[in-house]
Amino acid sequence: MSVLEHIDPVIYRLINQEQAMQSDCIRLIPSENYVSKAVMEASASCLTNRYAEGYPGKRYYEGQHFTDQIETVARERARQLFKVDHVNVQPYSGSVANMAAYAALIEPGDTIMGMSLAHGGHLTHGWKVSLTSKFFKAVYYTLDPATGLIDYDLAERLAKEHRPRLIVCGATAYPRIIDFEAFGRIAKQVGAYLVADIAHIAGLVVGGVHPSPVPHADIVSTTTHKTLRGPRGGMLMCKAEHATKVDRAVFPGLQGGPHMHTISAIAVALKEAATADFARYARQIVSNCKAMAEALLERGFNLVSGGTDNHLILIDLRNKGIPGKKLARALDRAGIISNYNTVPNDPAPPMNPNGLRIGTPAITTRGMKEPQARQIALWIHRVAEGIDNESVIESVRKEVKELCAQFPVPEVFVNP
Ligand SMILES: *Cc1c(COP(=O)(O)O)cnc(C)c1O
């Protein structure tokens, strides 16, 4: 019997049930992944016991012999991997990292320009319900309705008109390559800072399947737990000239003690990300996603922008007449986990939008390849066709379980 099972059988059981679900379902949420056993071990280590306010060599607590070394290793690995001057590995998450990036460069009341949430941007890019829109005036660029691609001309026009002090590029639901160079040019023209948020695509950047924003952005912000496949956390990367401002914005600006257990696990994930295996994984994510997109197109699904260059697909369900939430729920019953999402210019309310967002990082980590990606697309088609037929959904569920059994996930807890 494990200690956890003995001390807290309720939580033990729930964690095991979650583990079993992660193992026998197909997880298509594009921001999710499976970390390695090594990353999990580091993040569950004794470092959770520590306080280490400050930075290596400049802490406000004693006993930092090992925490200093751990944070230094993490920073150095990220510096080399992303080829960037300075790295801060302390942000608790991507959202806090973005807030710290803004706090480092601009003042409350200044104007920022980001991508509209409804077109794939993130809440923290100045969206109405986010604190970022209370602290800053926000202007939004959108997709070109004809192509489904970012409208760079519109972004340039809006930048000239509104003169933002900071432009944030990067997305949470955009299936194409982002032209960071174009954003760098636009920012320069209007004298704005550029923040590139690569929360979703950091692993693709490291793996060489998406261009890096590092040469073009003042600050690059990322999560560590999406395609980068580390523990839940955030990082900020910047040019040397912004290093002090960035560090001060994170601590003491926004945060207290860094989560050293997370930072140790980030270091492990960065070591893994520097391998040839990881580059193969990044390439396979994109190949799997393209295979899935093709199979969906063959079955009459409309995809925003007509396809994908990266790890995610945004299905516009309007021609199928099925609301996104209804399909997402039916897929969940079939063992395929996705999320409903707005599509650009969606007339439906955000709580019941017409899109479905899916992605391939987690299935790729499990070792699935193009044939499995195509098979999953066919299951999505079958569930959509049989949306009100529970026996169809049940038969897909059975096949999903059989496939999952062939592609084991990293085990952490022991299944009962
Ligand atoms: C996920 C995401 C974030 C936020 O990360 P959290 O760790 O959930 O706070 C920020 N920006 C983008 C583009 C994201 O996709």
Side-chain angles (χ1 to χ4, degrees), residues 50-55 59 61 71 88-101 221-226 230-236 249-263 266:
R50 290 313 315 276
Y51 248 99
E53 278 181 2
Y55 291 101
R59 306 275 192 194
Y61 296 85
E71 187 166 349
N88 187 307
V89 292
Q90 293 194 4
Y92 300 146
S93 79
S95 301
V96 187
N98 283 347
M99 198 53 138
S221 167
T222 187
T223 65
T224 49
H225 49 274
K226 298 182 183 176
R232 301 198 81 80
M235 292 199 299
L236 288 173
V250 174
F251 174 85
L254 267 128
Q255 299 190 168
H259 295 177
M260 290 309 306
H261 58 304
T262 298
I263 291 170
I266 289 175

Side-chain angles (χ1 to χ4, degrees), residues 158-186:
L158 289 172
K160 284 179 176 158
E161 183 184 343
H162 296 277
R163 296 265 148 192
R165 281 205 69 199
L166 184 151
I167 296 173
V168 52
C169 60
T172 197
Y174 185 64
R176 295 295 183 172
I177 299 285
I178 296 171
D179 188 347
F180 293 122
E181 198 182 343
F183 277 112
R185 224 170 25 241
I186 295 169

Side-chain angles (χ1 to χ4, degrees), residues 25-356:
C25 287
I26 290 168
R27 292 163 62 232
L28 296 182
I29 296 174
S31 47
E32 289 191 351
N33 218 321
Y34 298 93
V35 299
S36 70
K37 227 172 154 170
V39 167
M40 194 68 87
E41 239 178 83
S43 72
S45 68
C46 63
L47 284 153
T48 200
N49 298 334
R50 290 313 315 276
Y51 248 99
E53 278 181 2
Y55 291 101
K58 294 170 286 188
R59 306 275 192 194
Y60 293 83
Y61 296 85
E62 292 309 312
Q64 306 295 341
H65 322 289
F66 311 110
T67 45
D68 272 9
Q69 290 180 60
I70 287 166
E71 187 166 349
T72 302
V73 168
R75 290 203 298 206
E76 194 49 37
R77 284 180 182 166
R79 248 171 40 75
Q80 289 183 12
L81 201 56
F82 287 92
K83 302 182 179 65
V84 66
D85 295 346
H86 179 74
V87 181
N88 187 307
V89 292
Q90 293 194 4
Y92 300 146
S93 79
S95 301
V96 187
N98 283 347
M99 198 53 138
Y102 307 154
L105 298 175
I106 61 175
E107 298 296 322
D110 284 346
T111 299
I112 66 173
M113 184 174 87
M115 179 139 85
S116 160
L117 178 89
H119 288 240
H122 191 259
L123 283 165
T124 55
H125 296 180
W127 197 242
K128 292 157 215 170
V129 293
S130 155
L131 205 55
T132 53
S133 80
K134 299 212 164 62
F135 288 169
F136 308 108
K137 290 190 210 96
V139 181
Y140 315 113
Y141 55 90
T142 55
L143 305 182
D144 178 341
T147 59
L149 303 178
I150 292 173
D151 191 339
Y152 296 95
D153 294 336
L154 172 68
E156 185 175 340
R157 279 204 306 281
L158 289 172
K160 284 179 176 158
E161 183 184 343
H162 296 277
R163 296 265 148 192
R165 281 205 69 199
L166 184 151
I167 296 173
V168 52
C169 60
T172 197
Y174 185 64
R176 295 295 183 172
I177 299 285
I178 296 171
D179 188 347
F180 293 122
E181 198 182 343
F183 277 112
R185 224 170 25 241
I186 295 169
K188 257 202 198 80
Q189 278 181 45
V190 299
Y193 291 113
L194 182 66
V195 172
D197 178 355
I198 57 168
H200 262 256
I201 57 170
L204 304 183
V205 169
V206 166
V209 290
H210 193 294
S212 169
V214 167
H216 313 291
D218 291 284
I219 298 181
V220 176
S221 167
T222 187
T223 65
T224 49
H225 49 274
K226 298 182 183 176
T227 50
L228 193 55
R229 211 161 61 180
R232 301 198 81 80
M235 292 199 299
L236 288 173
M237 302 176 265
C238 66
K239 301 187 162 122
E241 59 183 292
H242 301 310
T244 306
K245 284 183 288 182
V246 163
D247 284 352
R248 284 196 185 132
V250 174
F251 174 85
L254 267 128
Q255 299 190 168
H259 295 177
M260 290 309 306
H261 58 304
T262 298
I263 291 170
S264 71
I266 289 175
V268 176
L270 291 167
K271 178 169 185 186
E272 291 173 352
T275 60
D277 256 357
F278 190 91
R280 261 194 298 280
Y281 144 84
R283 286 195 295 272
Q284 191 66 48
I285 288 177
V286 177
S287 306
N288 285 351
C289 209
K290 283 181 186 288
M292 196 179 279
E294 259 168 44
L296 288 167
L297 288 168
E298 280 164 19
R299 303 283 147 164
F301 284 96
N302 282 339
L303 309 184
V304 174
S305 83
T308 181
D309 298 326
N310 61 17
H311 64 301
L312 75 80
I313 294 167
L314 200 53
I315 306 177
D316 183 337
L317 289 163
R318 280 178 287 187
N319 67 326
K320 297 275 181 185
I322 308 170
K325 195 190 275 187
K326 187 169 181 184
L327 182 56
R329 294 255 160 96
L331 285 170
D332 187 45
R333 293 200 296 286
I336 298 173
I337 304 173
S338 64
N339 71 277
Y340 57 88
N341 213 98
T342 50
V343 287
N345 306 311
D346 198 337
M351 271 319 289
N352 195 22
N354 282 309
L356 190 79

